[in-house]
């Protein structure tokens, strides 16, 4: 692996944008998704790794993590900490209903050449790192640049937590990028029962979208256990759950509907972690 | 509040002599650390529909940060079927946890004739969780089932 590729990979992990070179999966793992009572807290691990859900590679940076309260307004992330392999933070579910926690990132990545020298655009999100130059942006591409290759990247990585009765306000689509519009509430999943989730691209049903579903606990079985599923004509994915547990779900696709000048491709990704209960 | 909540809140009013009774056995556990189980008993129409909680036994005295309601979601099936939308306590429905033994609970007297599914779920701290379901036909109520670990015999009989 070249140095640049390795750096890109790490950057992609931190940015929570899956680069083509990266096989590492970005995940958030809530301690529970369903809570009762009057003093409800959920603690969440966030990391990038190959095996789910074992933190052994890179933490997910917390700068981009947001909290949506059941009414859609912004909530608070508490006790955030980033370790060597994973980040940890808490959410106090002080309002009844379904909360959304996660990252929504968009940016432009790519490269161009000036006088035969290749330079990269984007690739590292968050605040500037001390001692390192700020990454180049689209605006930094000079007029004499050649071989301009730009890709728009847009990704979401979200988990849903419910205190008391589930609500659906946080599923309201924005109409931008790849979004999750569940038919079955993601906090009402039961082993043996089929769940239906609709996916939207720019607010329209994402037909024929490829979705990967992988159960957690990889280290304690031989199989990867990944299932490759596809959404139907109405953008709806049907998933059955063989056993209870935590599942990682990811959908990734590309299209050419770019808005950035000279960008030729748009890469869209959606990730969530789902808890499936015993019947 | 959703309409189904109403059905959940409607508890057992003074049951007339014709009403049916469910008898639930909480078995004695041979364990070092024992806590009384949380137990929920509820009814659902056999063809689907809103669940109606008949009884809910939980740690009612705890208050503050570790209030007993924190573990209501451990009665997973009951929580999903309707507990999540219920405000506790409910007169005539909720009560304190029970020690091992046999307990009789009157089923609602205003049940319309028809087929139902009666569920009994028990979840015990540092112990297991078990769900026992049995069919219930109103008005000829008589059914019997048994749990294996957290619940003993569950019987429905006309009283």
């Amino acid at each position: 692996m070249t140095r640049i590729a390795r750096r890109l990979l790490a950057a992609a992990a931190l940015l929570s944008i899956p680069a083509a070179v990266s096989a590492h999966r970005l995940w958030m793992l809530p301690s529970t998704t369903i809570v009762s009572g009057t003093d409800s807290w959920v603690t969440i691990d966030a990391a990038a790794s190959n095996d789910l859900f074992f933190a052994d590679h890179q933490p997910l940076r917390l700068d981009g993590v947001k909290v949506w309260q059941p009414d859609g307004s912004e909530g608070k992330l508490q006790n955030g900490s980033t370790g060597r392999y994973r980040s940890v933070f808490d959410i106090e579910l002080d309002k009844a209903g379904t909360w959304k926690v996660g990252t929504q990132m968009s940016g432009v990545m790519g490269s161009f050449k000036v006088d035969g020298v290749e330079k990269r655009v984007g690739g590292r999100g968050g605040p500037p790192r001390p001692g390192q130059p700020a990454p180049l942006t689209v605006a930094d591409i000079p007029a004499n640049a050649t071989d301009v290759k730009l890709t728009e990247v847009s990704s979401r990585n979200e988990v849903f937590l419910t205190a008391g009765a589930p609500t659906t306000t946080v599923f309201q689509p924005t109409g931008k990028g790849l979004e999750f519009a569940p038919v079955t509430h993601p906090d009402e999943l039961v082993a043996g029962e089929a769940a239906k989730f609709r996916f939207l691209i720019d607010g329209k049903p994402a037909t024929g979208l490829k979705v990967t579903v992988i159960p957690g606990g990889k280290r304690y079985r031989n199989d990867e256990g990944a299932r490759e599923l596809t959404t139907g004509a109405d953008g709806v994915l049907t998933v059955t759950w063989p056993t209870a547990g935590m599942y990682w779900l990811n959908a990734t696709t590309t299209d050419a509907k770019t808005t950035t000048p000279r960008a030729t491709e748009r890469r869209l990704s959606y990730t969530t972690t789902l808890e499936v209960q015993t019947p | 509040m959703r309409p189904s909540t109403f059905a959940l809140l409607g508890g057992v009013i003074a049951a007339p002599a014709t009403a049916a009774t469910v008898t639930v056995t909480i078995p004695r556990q041979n364990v070092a650390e024992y806590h009384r189980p949380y137990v929920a008993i509820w009814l659902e129409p056999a063809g689907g529909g809103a669940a109606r909680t008949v009884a809910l036994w939980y740690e009612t005295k705890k208050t503050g940060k570790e209030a007993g309601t924190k573990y209501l979601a451990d009665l997973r099936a009951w929580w999903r079927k309707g507990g999540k939308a219920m405000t506790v306590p409910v007169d005539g429905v909720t009560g304190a946890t029970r020690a091992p033994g046999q307990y009789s609970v009157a089923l609602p007297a205003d049940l319309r004739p028809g087929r139902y599914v009666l569920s009994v779920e028990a979840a015990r701290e540092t112990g297991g969780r078990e769900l026992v379901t049995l069919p219930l036909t109103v008005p000829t109520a008589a059914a019997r089932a048994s749990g294996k670990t957290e619940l003993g015999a569950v019987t429905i009989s006309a009283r």
Side-chain angles (χ1 to χ4, degrees), chain B residues 65-76:
Chain B
K65 291 214 171 245
E66 295 285 316
T69 50
K70 178 175 175 179
Y71 306 101
L72 285 178
D74 289 351
L75 293 165
R76 290 188 292 257

Side-chain angles (χ1 to χ4, degrees), chain A residues 153-236:
Chain A
V153 283
S154 157
S155 72
R156 289 185 168 87
N157 185 359
E158 303 166 340
V159 292
F160 303 97
L161 314 170
T162 296
T167 57
T168 56
T169 307
V170 294
F171 305 130
Q172 197 64 43
T174 63
K176 283 181 193 158
L178 178 57
E179 292 182 280
F180 182 63
V183 180
T184 308
H185 196 289
D187 290 339
E188 302 246 85
L189 307 176
V190 185
E193 287 180 17
K196 290 186 187 294
F197 305 130
R198 180 174 280 114
F199 287 87
L200 304 171
I201 293 178
D202 297 336
K204 297 189 184 71
T207 60
L209 179 73
K210 288 203 163 52
V211 182
T212 306
V213 178
I214 307 177
K218 169 69 194 339
R219 200 186 296 158
Y220 310 119
R221 61 174 186 263
N222 292 326
D223 302 336
E224 170 76 342
R227 281 183 292 163
E228 307 291 340
L229 307 169
T230 309
T231 59
D234 49 0
V236 173

Side-chain angles (χ1 to χ4, degrees), chain A residues 8-153:
Chain A
L8 245 185
L9 196 149
L14 294 169
L15 243 183
S16 74
I17 293 172
V21 290
S22 171
H24 289 101
R25 293 160 177 148
L26 301 152
W27 52 264
M28 282 189 286
L29 183 68
S31 53
T32 180
T33 59
I34 297 168
V35 295
S36 61
T38 49
D39 186 61
S40 307
W41 290 74
V42 171
T43 181
I44 300 180
D45 290 349
S49 72
N50 281 334
D51 289 353
L52 300 162
F53 294 93
F54 297 103
D56 63 359
H57 179 59
Q58 290 287 340
L60 205 80
R61 283 232 314 251
L62 294 181
D63 331 33
V65 179
K66 272 189 171 175
V67 180
W68 287 263
Q69 302 192 86
D71 64 359
S73 62
E74 194 169 340
K76 213 167 45 167
L77 179 157
Q78 297 188 55
N79 305 329
S81 165
T82 298
R84 170 63 185 87
Y85 283 149
R86 61 164 182 173
S87 290
V88 181
F89 58 95
D90 297 337
I91 310 288
E92 184 181 7
L93 304 182
D94 52 7
K95 291 192 185 102
T98 300
W99 296 58
K100 179 166 80 174
V101 180
T103 57
Q104 297 190 349
M105 299 275 187
S106 57
V108 178
M109 294 174 86
S111 64
F112 61 90
K113 277 185 183 170
V114 179
D115 305 328
V117 179
E118 190 182 70
K119 299 200 170 184
R120 299 212 59 87
V121 173
R124 189 180 284 284
R129 315 221 123 194
Q132 283 186 26
L136 299 177
T137 66
V138 174
D140 296 325
I141 303 176
N144 63 342
T146 58
D147 299 282
V148 178
K149 289 178 204 142
L150 295 177
T151 298
E152 280 182 11
V153 283

Side-chain angles (χ1 to χ4, degrees), chain B residues 5-58:
Chain B
T5 314
F6 254 111
L8 283 162
L9 292 179
V12 186
I13 318 165
T18 53
T21 300
V22 57
T23 303
V24 175
T25 310
I26 299 176
R28 190 166 298 279
Q29 306 283 349
N30 188 19
V31 290
E33 181 184 346
Y34 180 76
H35 304 275
R36 295 173 180 183
Y38 276 33
V39 174
I41 305 171
W42 74 97
L43 283 167
E44 290 169 76
R52 174 168 176 171
T53 302
V54 175
L56 173 67
W57 304 333
Y58 68 103

Side-chain angles (χ1 to χ4, degrees), chain B residues 40-44 51-53 77-78 81 117-119 121 131:
Chain B
I41 305 171
W42 74 97
L43 283 167
E44 290 169 76
R52 174 168 176 171
T53 302
W78 171 78
K81 298 284 187 179
V117 174
L118 181 99
S119 300
E121 186 177 18
L131 173 66

